[in-house]
Amino acid sequence: MFGLVVVPTPTWYLVLSAVLFSIGAVGVLVRRNPLVMFMCIELMLNAVNLTFVTVGRAMSDINGQAIVFFVMVVAAAEVVVGLGIIVSIMRRRSGVNVDDLTELKG
Amino acid sequence: MMLAANMFVGPAIDWFKISPLLVMLGGVLLLILAGSLTPQWKQGTYGVVGALTAAGSAVCTAMLWRDLGEGNPSSLLANALSFSKFSLFATFSVAVATLLAILVTSGFLVREGEDGPEVFALILSAAIGGMVMVQANDLIVMFLGLETLSLAFYLLTASSRWRSASGEAGLKYFVLGGFASAFFLYGVALVFGATGSTNVEKIAASLSKDTVLGGSSAMLLAGIALLLVGFGFKVSLVPFHTWTADVYQGAPTPVTALMGSVGKTAAFVALIRVFTVALSSRSDDWRPVVVMLAVLTLVIGSVLAVVQTDVKRMLAYSSISHAGFILVGLVAAGHSASADAGLGTSGALSYLFIYSILVVGTLGIVSVVAGKGDNETSLSAFKGLGKSNPVLAMGMTVLLLAQAGVPLTSGFVAKFGIIRAAVSTESYALAVVAMLAAVIAAFLYLRIMVSMWLSEGAASRDVAATFSVKASIALCVGATLALGFFPSLLLQFTNQL
């Protein structure tokens, strides 16, 4: 419409994944609900996946995309373990807020 | 379709050379499957199966030592795992530490009335993860090993369901560990982008050509920095150490021993391999940062250790200070212009082997003193131990003296190796800082010893230990003295690395 043709280059996707990774990292640091913190970690892992796919595509290297499957499996395993731990804590107390977990300090 | 199926050629697999991993895997499957399909076994049997598995893995590793050298491959499974003296020694170290920690765990679980197959299966899976990490020849394989190790550790940390501190420690470890893993993985992705490979040797080859493919060198530097952050969390370097004290204190004591030995060895060996092999041609970029981290870790770890009142927290900070020492070895190993750089690698690996034994023995004694419920870990719980249980107090004294680096104990051999490497590569200032930190940390070990021998305390407290815990502590103390009097038992192997 404006005669402007925008062609996304790999750099765009690398920047996008860096931004997503930063959002995830900041989220882990500022949020106080373990489930949300956990989702932020998943966001960080998926931002890395985007980097792998972009790099793999830019270099025509299929390994970049194959690695993503490994990362997805690891993320799924992390979900199982993480939710298990959160549930076992929830059984002892009502509601989970990481600021309430203050037994260990010094 | 047939054509496509025929085109795929799987890698040749040398089954015997991956036997240390396969033995561990067999143990895990046996414990999980047989353990869940049969009624409760006789008390302590699960621990025996676990210990035999770890011992079998160590024997397989020792037998592979003579298969090294000419005519044998230097990597396995299509370049995924490396097969060298370095990787085999580290694998052996992991297997031995696992064996000692399983013996402590077995007695601990029997005392708590929680004997079962799950904990041992998790310990063995952590050991598999550790072994994959130390053998990995590819950063993605290393990531998989790291996650196998970490996921097992998160669960083990939270496994004492009767203590609320255990769940809290598990959650803290899980969130910060997952955070660190994401940083590590982003580092791998950026290094992949800058060099075009995730294989350790191909990265080294690509970087030595002095041209950076695909991306800019800023991408490579960011990747190196993120890898260092990820590893820094896992080996608890200052300023990435904040989780360590809480997790070490909250975890069941035998699990703390496992984290201090297997966890630290695996992450450090992987760190050393990535930085001295894959990134060796960029050592001018990373060495200054690692020097800074080493100084911070040594000083802050030692100083914070002194002001603690809980023995498990003290040992957590002392493990941070030990990590600083091992990092000094990495600094020496990264001095590629020097002919003595190899001293850094061999010094760091002997340190890790010796420290693994020390930490399992020390925490084994702490788990006995902590008593049923695993709660009495404050310094005052050790008061009067010299009177009520002189043998145990004597063992603790030997292990603490070794951690302080007193001559005629293995700790001296470890510290001497690192200082020698630092001095040979002309890092004099760093060697001085390391020795000062050792002096500060010695005060901490003296505090525990004074508590045991010179203070009056509740001597009537029951500190009975089961046979397997006694065996583990005796092996650790014996090895500490044997390696102190005859260092060549160990050095003849590490000097070849």
Side-chain angles (χ1 to χ4, degrees):
Chain A
M1 195 191 292
F2 301 105
L4 187 70
V5 181
V6 179
V7 182
T9 61
T11 315
W12 288 36
Y13 292 103
L14 289 179
V15 171
L16 174 64
S17 68
V19 170
L20 287 174
F21 188 87
S22 311
I23 293 173
V26 171
V28 174
L29 297 175
V30 301
R31 296 304 294 264
R32 283 292 159 261
N33 184 319
L35 283 172
V36 178
M37 293 168 86
F38 185 40
M39 282 158 61
C40 290
I41 291 175
E42 295 294 312
L43 181 61
M44 291 166 79
L45 289 178
N46 282 317
V48 178
N49 278 345
L50 183 58
T51 309
F52 272 119
V53 172
T54 311
V55 169
R57 174 117 173 97
M59 294 191 297
S60 310
D61 184 352
I62 196 74
N63 282 325
Q65 288 160 50
I67 288 168
V68 171
F69 287 103
F70 286 92
V71 178
M72 281 178 174
V73 171
V74 166
E78 245 178 28
V79 171
V80 175
V81 169
L83 291 183
I85 294 175
I86 293 172
V87 167
S88 84
I89 292 184
M90 285 274 252
R91 284 202 181 142
R92 292 180 158 272
R93 55 177 88 226
S94 56
V96 182
N97 183 320
V98 285
D99 286 334
D100 297 339
L101 299 171
T102 52
E103 194 175 329
L104 297 166
K105 58 188 167 196
Chain B
M1 287 305 283
M2 278 304 288
L3 189 66
N6 290 337
M7 270 162 59
F8 178 76
V9 182
I13 299 175
D14 197 337
W15 295 100
F16 182 58
K17 290 198 170 65
I18 54 170
S19 57
L21 288 167
L22 294 176
V23 169
M24 286 283 189
L25 187 62
V28 174
L29 294 178
L30 178 71
L31 280 168
I32 290 187
L33 284 177
S36 59
L37 293 177
T38 53
Q40 180 81 16
W41 299 358
K42 197 169 156 287
Q43 215 175 41
T45 323
Y46 299 115
V48 171
V49 173
L52 285 177
T53 308
S57 186
V59 169
C60 286
T61 316
M63 288 199 310
L64 286 173
W65 188 266
R66 63 187 156 84
D67 281 356
L68 290 163
E70 278 182 42
N72 281 294
S74 64
S75 67
L76 307 170
L77 297 178
N79 243 342
L81 299 178
S82 75
F83 186 67
S84 59
K85 285 181 172 167
F86 182 84
S87 72
L88 273 189
F89 181 80
T91 308
F92 183 72
S93 191
V94 169
V96 169
T98 310
L99 170 64
L100 293 170
I102 283 180
L103 290 176
V104 175
T105 313
S106 177
F108 173 83
L109 289 179
V110 167
R111 185 187 73 196
E112 304 294 334
E114 291 272 319
D115 199 22
E118 302 87 357
V119 168
F120 297 106
L122 283 171
I123 292 178
L124 292 178
S125 0
I128 293 177
M131 287 181 171
V132 170
M133 260 185 107
V134 301
Q135 297 184 4
N137 203 25
D138 189 291
L139 293 179
I140 287 302
V141 175
M142 197 175 275
F143 175 71
L144 293 178
L146 177 74
E147 284 298 309
T148 312
L149 177 85
S150 304
L151 291 178
F153 275 169
Y154 304 147
L155 288 172
L156 284 168
T157 304
S159 66
S160 287
R161 273 161 301 155
W162 66 94
R163 279 170 64 230
S164 60
S166 174
E168 180 183 334
L171 185 65
K172 283 180 175 171
Y173 194 17
F174 170 73
V175 170
L176 287 173
F179 193 54
S181 296
F183 275 97
F184 177 80
L185 190 66
Y186 202 20
V188 174
L190 291 183
V191 170
F192 174 57
T195 62
S197 177
T198 53
N199 185 289
V200 168
E201 274 139 18
K202 284 187 190 150
I203 292 172
S206 160
L207 291 181
S208 66
K209 279 185 295 192
D210 214 42
T211 49
V212 179
L213 274 174
S216 61
S217 73
M219 196 166 177
L220 178 69
L221 288 179
I224 295 176
L226 288 166
L227 282 177
L228 199 56
V229 172
F231 277 125
F233 263 104
K234 294 291 170 187
V235 299
S236 54
L237 305 176
V238 176
F240 313 114
H241 68 288
T242 41
W243 59 275
T244 316
D246 282 359
V247 172
Y248 273 41
Q249 188 190 357
T253 312
V255 174
T256 312
L258 193 75
M259 279 192 277
S261 54
V262 172
K264 195 147 274 195
T265 306
F268 248 118
V269 170
L271 168 68
I272 292 171
R273 187 160 160 78
V274 169
F275 279 78
T276 61
V277 178
L279 304 172
S280 61
S281 57
R282 290 292 186 275
S283 66
D284 288 343
D285 292 327
W286 58 258
R287 266 183 94 238
V289 184
V290 175
V291 169
M292 284 295 296
L293 288 175
V295 170
L296 281 175
T297 309
L298 280 165
V299 174
I300 295 182
S302 305
V303 170
L304 288 182
V306 170
V307 300
Q308 301 299 320
T309 55
D310 183 284
V311 173
K312 273 162 96 180
R313 285 187 93 85
M314 285 181 181
L315 292 172
Y317 282 108
S318 113
S319 90
I320 294 172
S321 160
H322 284 291
F325 254 94
I326 301 165
L327 212 55
V328 174
L330 174 61
V331 173
H335 199 292
S336 45
S338 163
D340 288 324
L343 283 178
T345 315
S346 61
L349 258 78
S350 354
Y351 202 113
L352 284 166
F353 182 80
I354 288 169
Y355 178 67
S356 296
I357 294 176
L358 289 180
V359 80
V360 176
T362 316
L363 283 160
I365 294 176
V366 173
S367 86
V368 173
V369 174
K372 190 165 166 54
D374 201 24
N375 282 322
E376 301 292 326
T377 55
S378 67
L379 191 57
S380 54
F382 283 77
K383 279 183 183 167
L385 190 69
K387 284 213 182 70
S388 63
N389 200 333
V391 180
L392 203 61
M394 203 61 220
M396 187 72 166
T397 307
V398 170
L399 292 168
L400 289 177
L401 286 175
Q403 291 214 34
V406 171
L408 295 183
T409 61
S410 60
F412 176 73
V413 179
K415 287 204 161 62
F416 182 77
I418 293 287
I419 300 286
R420 185 170 69 134
V423 171
S424 319
T425 52
E426 299 176 353
S427 308
Y428 301 114
L430 200 52
V432 170
V433 172
M435 283 189 276
L436 284 177
V439 172
I440 301 173
F443 178 70
L444 149 84
Y445 306 121
L446 281 176
R447 248 182 98 193
I448 305 179
M449 280 184 251
V450 166
S451 241
M452 286 191 305
W453 294 104
L454 301 178
S455 311
E456 295 296 329
S460 61
R461 274 192 52 243
D462 176 31
V463 288
T466 50
F467 173 74
S468 68
V469 180
K470 281 183 195 156
S472 178
I473 294 170
L475 282 172
C476 293
V477 174
T480 302
L481 291 174
L483 293 180
F485 280 93
F486 307 106
S488 59
L489 289 176
L490 175 67
L491 297 183
Q492 60 178 320
F493 296 109
T494 53
N495 284 343
Q496 301 172 27
L497 300 174

Short mmCIF file of all heavy atoms in Angstrom, two decimals, chain B residues 114-163:
data_model
loop_
_atom_site.label_atom_id
_atom_site.label_comp_id
_atom_site.label_asym_id
_atom_site.label_seq_id
_atom_site.Cartn_x
_atom_site.Cartn_y
_atom_site.Cartn_z
N GLU B 114 12.37 -45.01 55.73
CA GLU B 114 11.87 -44.61 54.41
C GLU B 114 12.52 -45.43 53.31
O GLU B 114 12.62 -44.98 52.17
CB GLU B 114 12.19 -43.12 54.16
CG GLU B 114 11.42 -42.17 55.01
CD GLU B 114 10.09 -41.79 54.39
OE1 GLU B 114 10.04 -41.58 53.18
OE2 GLU B 114 9.09 -41.75 55.13
N ASP B 115 13.03 -46.63 53.65
CA ASP B 115 13.75 -47.42 52.66
C ASP B 115 12.85 -47.74 51.46
O ASP B 115 11.70 -48.12 51.63
CB ASP B 115 14.22 -48.73 53.33
CG ASP B 115 15.35 -49.38 52.55
OD1 ASP B 115 16.00 -48.65 51.79
OD2 ASP B 115 15.56 -50.58 52.71
N GLY B 116 13.39 -47.56 50.26
CA GLY B 116 12.61 -47.83 49.06
C GLY B 116 13.48 -47.68 47.84
O GLY B 116 14.60 -47.18 47.94
N PRO B 117 13.01 -48.13 46.67
CA PRO B 117 13.87 -48.13 45.48
C PRO B 117 14.02 -46.76 44.82
O PRO B 117 15.00 -46.51 44.12
CB PRO B 117 13.16 -49.09 44.54
CG PRO B 117 11.73 -49.05 44.95
CD PRO B 117 11.72 -48.77 46.43
N GLU B 118 13.05 -45.84 45.05
CA GLU B 118 13.01 -44.61 44.24
C GLU B 118 14.26 -43.76 44.41
O GLU B 118 14.85 -43.29 43.42
CB GLU B 118 11.79 -43.76 44.59
CG GLU B 118 10.46 -44.45 44.43
CD GLU B 118 10.06 -45.21 45.68
OE1 GLU B 118 10.85 -45.23 46.64
OE2 GLU B 118 8.96 -45.80 45.69
N VAL B 119 14.67 -43.55 45.67
CA VAL B 119 15.80 -42.65 45.90
C VAL B 119 17.06 -43.20 45.23
O VAL B 119 17.82 -42.44 44.60
CB VAL B 119 16.01 -42.45 47.42
CG1 VAL B 119 17.33 -41.77 47.70
CG2 VAL B 119 14.87 -41.63 47.99
N PHE B 120 17.27 -44.52 45.32
CA PHE B 120 18.48 -45.09 44.71
C PHE B 120 18.41 -44.99 43.19
O PHE B 120 19.42 -44.72 42.52
CB PHE B 120 18.67 -46.53 45.17
CG PHE B 120 18.91 -46.63 46.64
CD1 PHE B 120 17.92 -47.10 47.48
CD2 PHE B 120 20.10 -46.18 47.19
CE1 PHE B 120 18.12 -47.15 48.84
CE2 PHE B 120 20.30 -46.23 48.55
CZ PHE B 120 19.31 -46.71 49.38
N ALA B 121 17.20 -45.21 42.62
CA ALA B 121 17.06 -45.07 41.17
C ALA B 121 17.39 -43.64 40.75
O ALA B 121 18.06 -43.42 39.74
CB ALA B 121 15.65 -45.44 40.74
N LEU B 122 16.95 -42.66 41.56
CA LEU B 122 17.24 -41.26 41.22
C LEU B 122 18.73 -40.96 41.34
O LEU B 122 19.29 -40.23 40.52
CB LEU B 122 16.43 -40.33 42.13
CG LEU B 122 14.95 -40.19 41.78
CD1 LEU B 122 14.22 -39.44 42.86
CD2 LEU B 122 14.81 -39.47 40.45
N ILE B 123 19.37 -41.52 42.39
CA ILE B 123 20.81 -41.27 42.55
C ILE B 123 21.56 -41.83 41.35
O ILE B 123 22.45 -41.18 40.79
CB ILE B 123 21.33 -41.90 43.85
CG1 ILE B 123 20.74 -41.17 45.07
CG2 ILE B 123 22.85 -41.86 43.90
CD1 ILE B 123 21.17 -41.75 46.39
N LEU B 124 21.17 -43.05 40.92
CA LEU B 124 21.87 -43.64 39.77
C LEU B 124 21.57 -42.85 38.50
O LEU B 124 22.45 -42.70 37.64
CB LEU B 124 21.47 -45.11 39.61
CG LEU B 124 21.95 -46.04 40.72
CD1 LEU B 124 21.44 -47.46 40.49
CD2 LEU B 124 23.47 -46.06 40.81
N SER B 125 20.35 -42.30 38.34
CA SER B 125 20.11 -41.50 37.13
C SER B 125 20.91 -40.21 37.18
O SER B 125 21.38 -39.74 36.14
CB SER B 125 18.64 -41.16 36.89
OG SER B 125 17.81 -41.67 37.84
N ALA B 126 21.06 -39.64 38.38
CA ALA B 126 21.91 -38.46 38.49
C ALA B 126 23.33 -38.81 38.06
O ALA B 126 23.99 -38.04 37.35
CB ALA B 126 21.91 -37.94 39.92
N ALA B 127 23.79 -40.00 38.47
CA ALA B 127 25.15 -40.42 38.09
C ALA B 127 25.27 -40.59 36.58
O ALA B 127 26.28 -40.22 35.98
CB ALA B 127 25.52 -41.71 38.80
N ILE B 128 24.20 -41.12 35.94
CA ILE B 128 24.23 -41.24 34.47
C ILE B 128 24.37 -39.86 33.85
O ILE B 128 25.19 -39.64 32.95
CB ILE B 128 22.95 -41.92 33.95
CG1 ILE B 128 22.89 -43.37 34.42
CG2 ILE B 128 22.89 -41.86 32.43
CD1 ILE B 128 21.61 -44.07 34.01
N GLY B 129 23.56 -38.92 34.34
CA GLY B 129 23.65 -37.56 33.82
C GLY B 129 25.05 -37.00 33.99
O GLY B 129 25.61 -36.39 33.08
N GLY B 130 25.63 -37.22 35.19
CA GLY B 130 26.98 -36.73 35.43
C GLY B 130 27.99 -37.34 34.49
O GLY B 130 28.86 -36.66 33.94
N MET B 131 27.86 -38.65 34.25
CA MET B 131 28.81 -39.33 33.35
C MET B 131 28.67 -38.82 31.92
O MET B 131 29.65 -38.62 31.22
CB MET B 131 28.57 -40.83 33.39
CG MET B 131 29.03 -41.47 34.66
SD MET B 131 28.73 -43.24 34.57
CE MET B 131 29.62 -43.75 36.02
N VAL B 132 27.42 -38.61 31.48
CA VAL B 132 27.22 -38.09 30.12
C VAL B 132 27.84 -36.70 30.02
O VAL B 132 28.48 -36.35 29.03
CB VAL B 132 25.72 -38.05 29.78
CG1 VAL B 132 25.48 -37.28 28.50
CG2 VAL B 132 25.17 -39.45 29.65
N MET B 133 27.68 -35.89 31.08
CA MET B 133 28.26 -34.54 31.06
C MET B 133 29.77 -34.57 30.92
O MET B 133 30.36 -33.80 30.17
CB MET B 133 27.92 -33.83 32.36
CG MET B 133 26.78 -32.89 32.26
SD MET B 133 26.62 -32.04 33.82
CE MET B 133 27.23 -30.45 33.33
N VAL B 134 30.43 -35.46 31.70
CA VAL B 134 31.89 -35.44 31.67
C VAL B 134 32.42 -36.06 30.39
O VAL B 134 33.55 -35.77 29.99
CB VAL B 134 32.51 -36.13 32.90
CG1 VAL B 134 32.07 -35.47 34.18
CG2 VAL B 134 32.22 -37.61 32.94
N GLN B 135 31.63 -36.92 29.74
CA GLN B 135 32.12 -37.54 28.51
C GLN B 135 31.69 -36.77 27.27
O GLN B 135 32.19 -37.04 26.17
CB GLN B 135 31.59 -38.97 28.39
CG GLN B 135 32.08 -39.87 29.51
CD GLN B 135 31.62 -41.31 29.32
OE1 GLN B 135 31.00 -41.64 28.33
NE2 GLN B 135 31.93 -42.14 30.28
N ALA B 136 30.74 -35.83 27.42
CA ALA B 136 30.11 -35.23 26.25
C ALA B 136 31.13 -34.58 25.33
O ALA B 136 32.05 -33.90 25.75
CB ALA B 136 29.10 -34.18 26.70
N ASN B 137 30.94 -34.81 24.03
CA ASN B 137 31.81 -34.20 23.04
C ASN B 137 31.01 -33.19 22.22
O ASN B 137 31.49 -32.67 21.23
CB ASN B 137 32.36 -35.31 22.12
CG ASN B 137 33.63 -34.89 21.44
OD1 ASN B 137 34.34 -34.04 21.96
ND2 ASN B 137 33.90 -35.47 20.30
N ASP B 138 29.78 -32.95 22.66
CA ASP B 138 28.87 -32.10 21.90
C ASP B 138 28.07 -31.31 22.93
O ASP B 138 27.63 -31.86 23.94
CB ASP B 138 27.95 -32.99 21.07
CG ASP B 138 27.12 -32.20 20.09
OD1 ASP B 138 26.22 -31.45 20.53
OD2 ASP B 138 27.37 -32.33 18.89
N LEU B 139 27.89 -30.03 22.68
CA LEU B 139 27.25 -29.20 23.71
C LEU B 139 25.81 -29.61 23.98
O LEU B 139 25.32 -29.48 25.10
CB LEU B 139 27.32 -27.73 23.31
CG LEU B 139 28.73 -27.13 23.29
CD1 LEU B 139 28.70 -25.68 22.84
CD2 LEU B 139 29.37 -27.23 24.65
N ILE B 140 25.11 -30.13 22.96
CA ILE B 140 23.73 -30.54 23.18
C ILE B 140 23.69 -31.82 24.03
O ILE B 140 22.84 -31.97 24.92
CB ILE B 140 23.00 -30.73 21.83
CG1 ILE B 140 22.75 -29.37 21.22
CG2 ILE B 140 21.70 -31.47 22.01
CD1 ILE B 140 21.93 -28.43 22.07
N VAL B 141 24.64 -32.74 23.78
CA VAL B 141 24.72 -33.94 24.62
C VAL B 141 25.02 -33.52 26.06
O VAL B 141 24.47 -34.05 27.02
CB VAL B 141 25.79 -34.90 24.07
CG1 VAL B 141 25.96 -36.08 25.00
CG2 VAL B 141 25.43 -35.35 22.69
N MET B 142 25.90 -32.52 26.19
CA MET B 142 26.23 -32.01 27.51
C MET B 142 24.99 -31.43 28.19
O MET B 142 24.76 -31.65 29.38
CB MET B 142 27.30 -30.93 27.36
CG MET B 142 28.03 -30.57 28.62
SD MET B 142 29.33 -29.40 28.25
CE MET B 142 30.66 -30.46 27.77
N PHE B 143 24.17 -30.73 27.41
CA PHE B 143 22.93 -30.16 27.98
C PHE B 143 21.99 -31.28 28.45
O PHE B 143 21.40 -31.18 29.53
CB PHE B 143 22.24 -29.28 26.92
CG PHE B 143 20.91 -28.76 27.34
CD1 PHE B 143 20.81 -27.78 28.32
CD2 PHE B 143 19.74 -29.25 26.78
CE1 PHE B 143 19.58 -27.30 28.71
CE2 PHE B 143 18.50 -28.77 27.17
CZ PHE B 143 18.42 -27.80 28.15
N LEU B 144 21.89 -32.36 27.65
CA LEU B 144 21.03 -33.47 28.06
C LEU B 144 21.55 -34.10 29.35
O LEU B 144 20.78 -34.41 30.25
CB LEU B 144 20.95 -34.52 26.95
CG LEU B 144 20.25 -34.07 25.67
CD1 LEU B 144 20.27 -35.18 24.64
CD2 LEU B 144 18.82 -33.67 25.95
N GLY B 145 22.88 -34.27 29.44
CA GLY B 145 23.46 -34.82 30.67
C GLY B 145 23.18 -33.90 31.85
O GLY B 145 22.78 -34.35 32.93
N LEU B 146 23.36 -32.60 31.62
CA LEU B 146 23.13 -31.61 32.68
C LEU B 146 21.70 -31.68 33.20
O LEU B 146 21.45 -31.64 34.40
CB LEU B 146 23.42 -30.21 32.12
CG LEU B 146 23.19 -29.02 33.03
CD1 LEU B 146 24.28 -28.95 34.06
CD2 LEU B 146 23.17 -27.73 32.23
N GLU B 147 20.74 -31.83 32.28
CA GLU B 147 19.34 -31.87 32.69
C GLU B 147 19.02 -33.18 33.40
O GLU B 147 18.26 -33.19 34.37
CB GLU B 147 18.43 -31.67 31.48
CG GLU B 147 18.38 -30.22 31.03
CD GLU B 147 17.80 -29.30 32.09
OE1 GLU B 147 16.73 -29.60 32.61
OE2 GLU B 147 18.44 -28.30 32.41
N THR B 148 19.59 -34.29 32.91
CA THR B 148 19.36 -35.57 33.59
C THR B 148 19.84 -35.48 35.03
O THR B 148 19.17 -35.89 35.97
CB THR B 148 20.11 -36.70 32.86
OG1 THR B 148 19.84 -36.60 31.48
CG2 THR B 148 19.68 -38.05 33.36
N LEU B 149 21.05 -34.92 35.19
CA LEU B 149 21.62 -34.74 36.52
C LEU B 149 20.74 -33.82 37.36
O LEU B 149 20.38 -34.14 38.49
CB LEU B 149 23.02 -34.15 36.36
CG LEU B 149 23.80 -33.79 37.61
CD1 LEU B 149 24.53 -35.01 38.11
CD2 LEU B 149 24.81 -32.70 37.33
N SER B 150 20.37 -32.67 36.79
CA SER B 150 19.66 -31.66 37.57
C SER B 150 18.26 -32.13 37.95
O SER B 150 17.84 -31.96 39.09
CB SER B 150 19.56 -30.35 36.80
OG SER B 150 20.83 -29.92 36.43
N LEU B 151 17.53 -32.74 37.01
CA LEU B 151 16.16 -33.16 37.32
C LEU B 151 16.17 -34.18 38.45
O LEU B 151 15.33 -34.12 39.36
CB LEU B 151 15.48 -33.73 36.08
CG LEU B 151 15.17 -32.73 34.98
CD1 LEU B 151 14.55 -33.42 33.78
CD2 LEU B 151 14.24 -31.65 35.48
N ALA B 152 17.15 -35.10 38.42
CA ALA B 152 17.24 -36.07 39.51
C ALA B 152 17.54 -35.36 40.82
O ALA B 152 16.98 -35.69 41.87
CB ALA B 152 18.30 -37.12 39.20
N PHE B 153 18.42 -34.34 40.77
CA PHE B 153 18.77 -33.61 42.00
C PHE B 153 17.59 -32.85 42.57
O PHE B 153 17.41 -32.79 43.78
CB PHE B 153 19.91 -32.64 41.72
CG PHE B 153 21.28 -33.27 41.83
CD1 PHE B 153 22.40 -32.61 41.40
CD2 PHE B 153 21.44 -34.53 42.38
CE1 PHE B 153 23.65 -33.18 41.50
CE2 PHE B 153 22.68 -35.12 42.49
CZ PHE B 153 23.79 -34.44 42.04
N TYR B 154 16.76 -32.23 41.68
CA TYR B 154 15.61 -31.48 42.20
C TYR B 154 14.73 -32.42 43.02
O TYR B 154 14.28 -32.08 44.12
CB TYR B 154 14.77 -30.88 41.08
CG TYR B 154 15.50 -29.98 40.11
CD1 TYR B 154 15.12 -29.92 38.77
CD2 TYR B 154 16.57 -29.20 40.51
CE1 TYR B 154 15.79 -29.11 37.86
CE2 TYR B 154 17.24 -28.40 39.61
CZ TYR B 154 16.85 -28.36 38.29
OH TYR B 154 17.50 -27.57 37.40
N LEU B 155 14.47 -33.61 42.45
CA LEU B 155 13.58 -34.55 43.15
C LEU B 155 14.22 -35.07 44.43
O LEU B 155 13.56 -35.18 45.46
CB LEU B 155 13.25 -35.72 42.22
CG LEU B 155 12.30 -35.35 41.08
CD1 LEU B 155 12.17 -36.50 40.11
CD2 LEU B 155 10.95 -35.00 41.65
N LEU B 156 15.53 -35.38 44.37
CA LEU B 156 16.20 -35.89 45.57
C LEU B 156 16.18 -34.84 46.67
O LEU B 156 15.98 -35.16 47.84
CB LEU B 156 17.65 -36.26 45.24
CG LEU B 156 17.84 -37.56 44.47
CD1 LEU B 156 19.25 -37.69 43.96
CD2 LEU B 156 17.51 -38.74 45.38
N THR B 157 16.37 -33.56 46.29
CA THR B 157 16.36 -32.49 47.29
C THR B 157 15.01 -32.42 47.99
O THR B 157 14.94 -32.23 49.20
CB THR B 157 16.66 -31.15 46.61
OG1 THR B 157 17.90 -31.26 45.93
CG2 THR B 157 16.75 -30.02 47.61
N ALA B 158 13.93 -32.60 47.23
CA ALA B 158 12.59 -32.49 47.81
C ALA B 158 12.11 -33.82 48.37
O ALA B 158 10.94 -33.94 48.73
CB ALA B 158 11.61 -31.96 46.76
N SER B 159 12.99 -34.83 48.47
CA SER B 159 12.49 -36.19 48.74
C SER B 159 12.17 -36.45 50.21
O SER B 159 11.49 -37.42 50.51
CB SER B 159 13.50 -37.22 48.25
OG SER B 159 14.69 -37.13 49.00
N SER B 160 12.65 -35.62 51.16
CA SER B 160 12.29 -35.84 52.57
C SER B 160 10.94 -35.22 52.82
O SER B 160 10.86 -34.07 53.24
CB SER B 160 13.29 -35.19 53.51
OG SER B 160 14.47 -35.88 53.51
N ARG B 161 9.86 -35.97 52.57
CA ARG B 161 8.55 -35.34 52.63
C ARG B 161 8.15 -34.97 54.05
O ARG B 161 7.23 -34.19 54.26
CB ARG B 161 7.50 -36.24 51.99
CG ARG B 161 7.42 -36.01 50.49
CD ARG B 161 6.76 -37.18 49.84
NE ARG B 161 7.52 -38.41 50.12
CZ ARG B 161 7.00 -39.61 50.11
NH1 ARG B 161 5.75 -39.79 49.87
NH2 ARG B 161 7.76 -40.66 50.37
N TRP B 162 8.84 -35.56 55.07
CA TRP B 162 8.44 -35.25 56.45
C TRP B 162 9.07 -33.94 56.94
O TRP B 162 8.73 -33.46 58.01
CB TRP B 162 8.82 -36.40 57.38
CG TRP B 162 10.29 -36.63 57.52
CD1 TRP B 162 11.09 -36.12 58.49
CD2 TRP B 162 11.14 -37.40 56.68
NE1 TRP B 162 12.38 -36.52 58.30
CE2 TRP B 162 12.45 -37.31 57.20
CE3 TRP B 162 10.93 -38.16 55.52
CZ2 TRP B 162 13.53 -37.94 56.60
CZ3 TRP B 162 12.01 -38.78 54.93
CH2 TRP B 162 13.29 -38.68 55.47
N ARG B 163 10.00 -33.36 56.16
CA ARG B 163 10.60 -32.08 56.55
C ARG B 163 10.17 -31.00 55.58
O ARG B 163 10.40 -31.13 54.38
CB ARG B 163 12.13 -32.19 56.51
CG ARG B 163 12.74 -32.85 57.73
CD ARG B 163 14.19 -33.13 57.47
NE ARG B 163 14.96 -31.92 57.28
CZ ARG B 163 15.78 -31.71 56.26
NH1 ARG B 163 15.93 -32.61 55.34
NH2 ARG B 163 16.46 -30.60 56.18
#
